[in-house]
Amino acid sequence: MKSFIDKYLGTSLVIRIAIGLVIGAVLGIVCPGASAIAILGKIFVGALKAIAPILVFFLVMASLSKAGGGIGSRFKTVITLYMVSTLIAATTAVAGSFLFPVQMILVEGAEGANPPSGVAEVLGNLLTNMVANPVSALSTANYLAVLFWAIVLGLSLKKLGAQNTVAVITDLSEVTATVVRWIIQCAPFGILGLVFDSVATSGLSIFKVYGSLILLLVGCMLVVALVINPIIVAICIRRNPYPLVFKCLKESGITAFFTRSSAANIPVDTDLCK
């Protein structure tokens, strides 16, 4: 058993995910009635959704409580780059949707949904969500409130917390990150279950129906990852950006793409930064 686990972990995660995807599609065609297989996907998604807010909460608290001087300027740079790249990525996605329009058939209509009446309502909802109960925020994955309270508590720990308390928070962040790594290693089984459920329910036509949408999404991602982000990196480091870009895509981008969770990908990003 140990040798099997070692061989499993020694194989590239991308290869394992690809194998899980193929097996899930085949099982969905051959034995669509084996609904128990779909549970694997539900368990994987549920585990990621459950642990990701806790990871963000403890990780941000631990980072701020141990932060040294000059962190403000570094945060300013990171936040500025994040906002610029996100805005350009959103613009790219909108442009792509206009250039290559895709028609989606929704199972259920968005009945009863009322759009915000103006900017004031949007800002009001934003501030209300930000100061939501932290326990409720963790249980409902309200990341805005999770980040807000993690920052407030982290800064408070930095100013008033004892070293032992900071050490406990740091240990909790490391433990949670380790649990996330374990869950990510189970991604092939989760994707197997998700693909099986989709194929068993809708047949192989699902790939035809959503194929154009997937091509549009992946195309926009590639433009951002291989054109826009390298330009931003080149401006910042004044060097050839592609060695860094390809390393980040290999170590972090592919994992984030298949797990569908940027929060759960934090341990991978942390190791990559180190």
Side-chain angles (χ1 to χ4, degrees):
M1 186 66 178
K2 185 178 183 300
S3 60
F4 171 78
I5 295 176
D6 292 339
K7 187 174 182 180
Y8 172 81
L9 296 176
T11 307
S12 170
L13 180 62
V14 178
I15 295 176
R16 283 182 275 150
I17 288 174
I19 294 173
L21 193 152
V22 172
I23 294 175
V26 171
L27 291 176
I29 298 171
V30 175
C31 50
S35 57
I37 300 175
I39 297 177
L40 294 173
K42 295 177 181 178
I43 292 174
F44 175 69
V45 173
L48 277 181
K49 287 183 177 180
I51 198 66
I54 301 173
L55 172 66
V56 172
F57 185 70
F58 284 120
L59 194 62
V60 172
M61 282 180 59
S63 299
L64 289 176
S65 64
K66 298 185 300 179
I71 192 172
S73 60
R74 282 178 283 169
F75 262 113
K76 187 187 299 181
T77 302
V78 171
I79 291 173
T80 301
L81 290 174
Y82 174 79
M83 294 179 66
V84 169
S85 63
T86 303
L87 177 61
I88 298 176
T91 305
T92 302
V94 172
S97 66
F98 276 103
L99 292 173
F100 307 99
V102 176
Q103 183 177 3
M104 293 293 299
I105 301 176
L106 301 178
V107 178
E108 298 179 1
E111 299 177 359
N114 297 317
S117 59
V119 177
E121 184 177 350
V122 173
L123 293 176
N125 292 335
L126 186 70
L127 294 173
T128 302
N129 288 331
M130 187 172 66
V131 295
N133 184 294
V135 177
S136 173
L138 287 170
S139 63
T140 59
N142 178 1
Y143 283 100
L144 189 62
V146 169
L147 283 171
F148 174 77
W149 290 115
I151 291 172
V152 171
L153 292 172
L155 293 175
S156 178
L157 274 173
K158 177 178 173 59
K159 185 176 179 63
L160 303 172
Q163 288 298 318
N164 290 340
T165 306
V166 174
V168 170
I169 297 298
T170 302
D171 288 343
L172 286 173
S173 69
E174 291 292 337
V175 168
T176 311
T178 300
V179 173
V180 172
R181 292 187 184 95
W182 291 346
I183 295 174
I184 289 177
Q185 293 301 326
C186 298
F189 298 100
I191 290 173
L192 186 155
L194 293 171
V195 172
F196 168 84
D197 188 34
S198 299
V199 174
T201 303
S202 306
L204 289 177
S205 61
I206 190 172
F207 294 106
K208 181 179 179 180
V209 173
Y210 292 104
S212 55
L213 176 62
I214 293 172
L215 287 176
L216 176 60
L217 289 172
V218 174
C220 290
M221 290 177 186
L222 290 176
V223 170
V224 173
L226 300 178
V227 179
I228 294 174
N229 283 348
I231 292 175
I232 296 174
V233 174
I235 293 173
C236 293
I237 68 176
R238 302 185 183 279
R239 290 164 53 188
N240 178 11
Y242 284 100
L244 177 61
V245 169
F246 288 137
K247 183 174 181 62
C248 290
L249 287 176
K250 178 183 176 183
E251 301 292 336
S252 175
I254 294 177
T255 308
F257 178 81
F258 282 108
T259 58
R260 303 184 301 168
S261 175
S262 56
N265 205 50
I266 288 176
V268 179
D269 295 333
T270 303
D271 293 339
L272 184 59
C273 288
K274 290 178 181 178

PDB file of all heavy atoms in Angstrom, residues 33-52:
ATOM      1  N   GLY A  33     -25.480   4.444 -14.166  1.00  0.00           N
ATOM      2  CA  GLY A  33     -26.316   4.248 -12.986  1.00  0.00           C
ATOM      3  C   GLY A  33     -25.543   4.147 -11.688  1.00  0.00           C
ATOM      4  O   GLY A  33     -26.143   4.159 -10.605  1.00  0.00           O
ATOM      5  N   ALA A  34     -24.213   4.083 -11.775  1.00  0.00           N
ATOM      6  CA  ALA A  34     -23.399   3.944 -10.551  1.00  0.00           C
ATOM      7  C   ALA A  34     -23.233   5.321  -9.899  1.00  0.00           C
ATOM      8  O   ALA A  34     -22.152   5.916  -9.907  1.00  0.00           O
ATOM      9  CB  ALA A  34     -22.043   3.324 -10.888  1.00  0.00           C
ATOM     10  N   SER A  35     -24.313   5.809  -9.350  1.00  0.00           N
ATOM     11  CA  SER A  35     -24.333   7.177  -8.818  1.00  0.00           C
ATOM     12  C   SER A  35     -23.382   7.376  -7.646  1.00  0.00           C
ATOM     13  O   SER A  35     -23.028   8.519  -7.319  1.00  0.00           O
ATOM     14  CB  SER A  35     -25.759   7.541  -8.383  1.00  0.00           C
ATOM     15  OG  SER A  35     -26.245   6.606  -7.436  1.00  0.00           O
ATOM     16  N   ALA A  36     -22.949   6.282  -7.018  1.00  0.00           N
ATOM     17  CA  ALA A  36     -22.042   6.413  -5.871  1.00  0.00           C
ATOM     18  C   ALA A  36     -20.718   7.045  -6.279  1.00  0.00           C
ATOM     19  O   ALA A  36     -20.052   7.693  -5.454  1.00  0.00           O
ATOM     20  CB  ALA A  36     -21.794   5.049  -5.239  1.00  0.00           C
ATOM     21  N   ILE A  37     -20.329   6.904  -7.553  1.00  0.00           N
ATOM     22  CA  ILE A  37     -19.057   7.478  -8.014  1.00  0.00           C
ATOM     23  C   ILE A  37     -19.102   9.000  -7.930  1.00  0.00           C
ATOM     24  O   ILE A  37     -18.088   9.645  -7.666  1.00  0.00           O
ATOM     25  CB  ILE A  37     -18.754   7.009  -9.451  1.00  0.00           C
ATOM     26  CG1 ILE A  37     -18.647   5.490  -9.497  1.00  0.00           C
ATOM     27  CG2 ILE A  37     -17.470   7.641  -9.972  1.00  0.00           C
ATOM     28  CD1 ILE A  37     -18.465   4.924 -10.891  1.00  0.00           C
ATOM     29  N   ALA A  38     -20.276   9.587  -8.153  1.00  0.00           N
ATOM     30  CA  ALA A  38     -20.409  11.045  -8.123  1.00  0.00           C
ATOM     31  C   ALA A  38     -20.113  11.618  -6.743  1.00  0.00           C
ATOM     32  O   ALA A  38     -19.799  12.806  -6.617  1.00  0.00           O
ATOM     33  CB  ALA A  38     -21.811  11.453  -8.568  1.00  0.00           C
ATOM     34  N   ILE A  39     -20.220  10.768  -5.716  1.00  0.00           N
ATOM     35  CA  ILE A  39     -19.954  11.248  -4.354  1.00  0.00           C
ATOM     36  C   ILE A  39     -18.514  11.736  -4.225  1.00  0.00           C
ATOM     37  O   ILE A  39     -18.229  12.655  -3.449  1.00  0.00           O
ATOM     38  CB  ILE A  39     -20.249  10.122  -3.338  1.00  0.00           C
ATOM     39  CG1 ILE A  39     -21.731   9.753  -3.377  1.00  0.00           C
ATOM     40  CG2 ILE A  39     -19.844  10.540  -1.931  1.00  0.00           C
ATOM     41  CD1 ILE A  39     -22.114   8.600  -2.473  1.00  0.00           C
ATOM     42  N   LEU A  40     -17.595  11.133  -4.987  1.00  0.00           N
ATOM     43  CA  LEU A  40     -16.190  11.553  -4.929  1.00  0.00           C
ATOM     44  C   LEU A  40     -16.056  13.034  -5.268  1.00  0.00           C
ATOM     45  O   LEU A  40     -15.302  13.765  -4.628  1.00  0.00           O
ATOM     46  CB  LEU A  40     -15.350  10.714  -5.896  1.00  0.00           C
ATOM     47  CG  LEU A  40     -15.217   9.223  -5.576  1.00  0.00           C
ATOM     48  CD1 LEU A  40     -14.496   8.494  -6.712  1.00  0.00           C
ATOM     49  CD2 LEU A  40     -14.465   9.032  -4.262  1.00  0.00           C
ATOM     50  N   GLY A  41     -16.777  13.476  -6.294  1.00  0.00           N
ATOM     51  CA  GLY A  41     -16.726  14.881  -6.677  1.00  0.00           C
ATOM     52  C   GLY A  41     -17.319  15.788  -5.613  1.00  0.00           C
ATOM     53  O   GLY A  41     -16.772  16.852  -5.311  1.00  0.00           O
ATOM     54  N   LYS A  42     -18.437  15.366  -5.033  1.00  0.00           N
ATOM     55  CA  LYS A  42     -19.078  16.176  -3.996  1.00  0.00           C
ATOM     56  C   LYS A  42     -18.191  16.298  -2.759  1.00  0.00           C
ATOM     57  O   LYS A  42     -18.107  17.361  -2.141  1.00  0.00           O
ATOM     58  CB  LYS A  42     -20.432  15.570  -3.625  1.00  0.00           C
ATOM     59  CG  LYS A  42     -21.442  15.596  -4.765  1.00  0.00           C
ATOM     60  CD  LYS A  42     -22.749  14.927  -4.367  1.00  0.00           C
ATOM     61  CE  LYS A  42     -23.738  14.931  -5.522  1.00  0.00           C
ATOM     62  NZ  LYS A  42     -25.007  14.251  -5.171  1.00  0.00           N
ATOM     63  N   ILE A  43     -17.527  15.194  -2.397  1.00  0.00           N
ATOM     64  CA  ILE A  43     -16.637  15.217  -1.232  1.00  0.00           C
ATOM     65  C   ILE A  43     -15.458  16.155  -1.487  1.00  0.00           C
ATOM     66  O   ILE A  43     -15.082  16.954  -0.622  1.00  0.00           O
ATOM     67  CB  ILE A  43     -16.138  13.794  -0.917  1.00  0.00           C
ATOM     68  CG1 ILE A  43     -17.292  12.920  -0.420  1.00  0.00           C
ATOM     69  CG2 ILE A  43     -15.022  13.829   0.122  1.00  0.00           C
ATOM     70  CD1 ILE A  43     -16.909  11.469  -0.219  1.00  0.00           C
ATOM     71  N   PHE A  44     -14.874  16.077  -2.691  1.00  0.00           N
ATOM     72  CA  PHE A  44     -13.719  16.914  -3.018  1.00  0.00           C
ATOM     73  C   PHE A  44     -14.080  18.392  -2.988  1.00  0.00           C
ATOM     74  O   PHE A  44     -13.395  19.209  -2.346  1.00  0.00           O
ATOM     75  CB  PHE A  44     -13.186  16.529  -4.402  1.00  0.00           C
ATOM     76  CG  PHE A  44     -12.070  17.396  -4.888  1.00  0.00           C
ATOM     77  CD1 PHE A  44     -10.827  17.361  -4.291  1.00  0.00           C
ATOM     78  CD2 PHE A  44     -12.271  18.262  -5.957  1.00  0.00           C
ATOM     79  CE1 PHE A  44      -9.791  18.179  -4.736  1.00  0.00           C
ATOM     80  CE2 PHE A  44     -11.252  19.073  -6.415  1.00  0.00           C
ATOM     81  CZ  PHE A  44     -10.009  19.030  -5.800  1.00  0.00           C
ATOM     82  N   VAL A  45     -15.160  18.761  -3.675  1.00  0.00           N
ATOM     83  CA  VAL A  45     -15.585  20.164  -3.711  1.00  0.00           C
ATOM     84  C   VAL A  45     -15.967  20.644  -2.315  1.00  0.00           C
ATOM     85  O   VAL A  45     -15.608  21.753  -1.893  1.00  0.00           O
ATOM     86  CB  VAL A  45     -16.759  20.350  -4.684  1.00  0.00           C
ATOM     87  CG1 VAL A  45     -17.309  21.776  -4.603  1.00  0.00           C
ATOM     88  CG2 VAL A  45     -16.323  20.046  -6.109  1.00  0.00           C
ATOM     89  N   GLY A  46     -16.689  19.805  -1.572  1.00  0.00           N
ATOM     90  CA  GLY A  46     -17.091  20.187  -0.221  1.00  0.00           C
ATOM     91  C   GLY A  46     -15.903  20.399   0.698  1.00  0.00           C
ATOM     92  O   GLY A  46     -15.886  21.339   1.502  1.00  0.00           O
ATOM     93  N   ALA A  47     -14.897  19.517   0.579  1.00  0.00           N
ATOM     94  CA  ALA A  47     -13.704  19.650   1.418  1.00  0.00           C
ATOM     95  C   ALA A  47     -12.952  20.945   1.097  1.00  0.00           C
ATOM     96  O   ALA A  47     -12.496  21.648   2.013  1.00  0.00           O
ATOM     97  CB  ALA A  47     -12.789  18.442   1.218  1.00  0.00           C
ATOM     98  N   LEU A  48     -12.814  21.261  -0.187  1.00  0.00           N
ATOM     99  CA  LEU A  48     -12.124  22.501  -0.567  1.00  0.00           C
ATOM    100  C   LEU A  48     -12.879  23.720  -0.054  1.00  0.00           C
ATOM    101  O   LEU A  48     -12.274  24.668   0.479  1.00  0.00           O
ATOM    102  CB  LEU A  48     -11.984  22.576  -2.089  1.00  0.00           C
ATOM    103  CG  LEU A  48     -10.809  21.840  -2.725  1.00  0.00           C
ATOM    104  CD1 LEU A  48     -10.819  22.051  -4.228  1.00  0.00           C
ATOM    105  CD2 LEU A  48      -9.480  22.303  -2.137  1.00  0.00           C
ATOM    106  N   LYS A  49     -14.196  23.729  -0.251  1.00  0.00           N
ATOM    107  CA  LYS A  49     -14.996  24.876   0.198  1.00  0.00           C
ATOM    108  C   LYS A  49     -14.942  25.036   1.711  1.00  0.00           C
ATOM    109  O   LYS A  49     -14.984  26.156   2.233  1.00  0.00           O
ATOM    110  CB  LYS A  49     -16.448  24.697  -0.252  1.00  0.00           C
ATOM    111  CG  LYS A  49     -16.664  24.902  -1.740  1.00  0.00           C
ATOM    112  CD  LYS A  49     -18.144  24.772  -2.082  1.00  0.00           C
ATOM    113  CE  LYS A  49     -18.382  25.042  -3.565  1.00  0.00           C
ATOM    114  NZ  LYS A  49     -19.827  24.907  -3.911  1.00  0.00           N
ATOM    115  N   ALA A  50     -14.845  23.911   2.426  1.00  0.00           N
ATOM    116  CA  ALA A  50     -14.849  23.969   3.889  1.00  0.00           C
ATOM    117  C   ALA A  50     -13.521  24.480   4.440  1.00  0.00           C
ATOM    118  O   ALA A  50     -13.496  25.281   5.381  1.00  0.00           O
ATOM    119  CB  ALA A  50     -15.161  22.588   4.456  1.00  0.00           C
ATOM    120  N   ILE A  51     -12.403  24.034   3.859  1.00  0.00           N
ATOM    121  CA  ILE A  51     -11.097  24.332   4.444  1.00  0.00           C
ATOM    122  C   ILE A  51     -10.508  25.648   3.949  1.00  0.00           C
ATOM    123  O   ILE A  51      -9.718  26.287   4.652  1.00  0.00           O
ATOM    124  CB  ILE A  51     -10.112  23.173   4.148  1.00  0.00           C
ATOM    125  CG1 ILE A  51      -8.910  23.235   5.096  1.00  0.00           C
ATOM    126  CG2 ILE A  51      -9.667  23.184   2.701  1.00  0.00           C
ATOM    127  CD1 ILE A  51      -9.226  22.982   6.540  1.00  0.00           C
ATOM    128  N   ALA A  52     -10.876  26.080   2.728  1.00  0.00           N
ATOM    129  CA  ALA A  52     -10.257  27.269   2.139  1.00  0.00           C
ATOM    130  C   ALA A  52     -10.452  28.539   2.978  1.00  0.00           C
ATOM    131  O   ALA A  52      -9.487  29.274   3.217  1.00  0.00           O
ATOM    132  CB  ALA A  52     -10.776  27.474   0.717  1.00  0.00           C
TER     133      ALA A  52
END
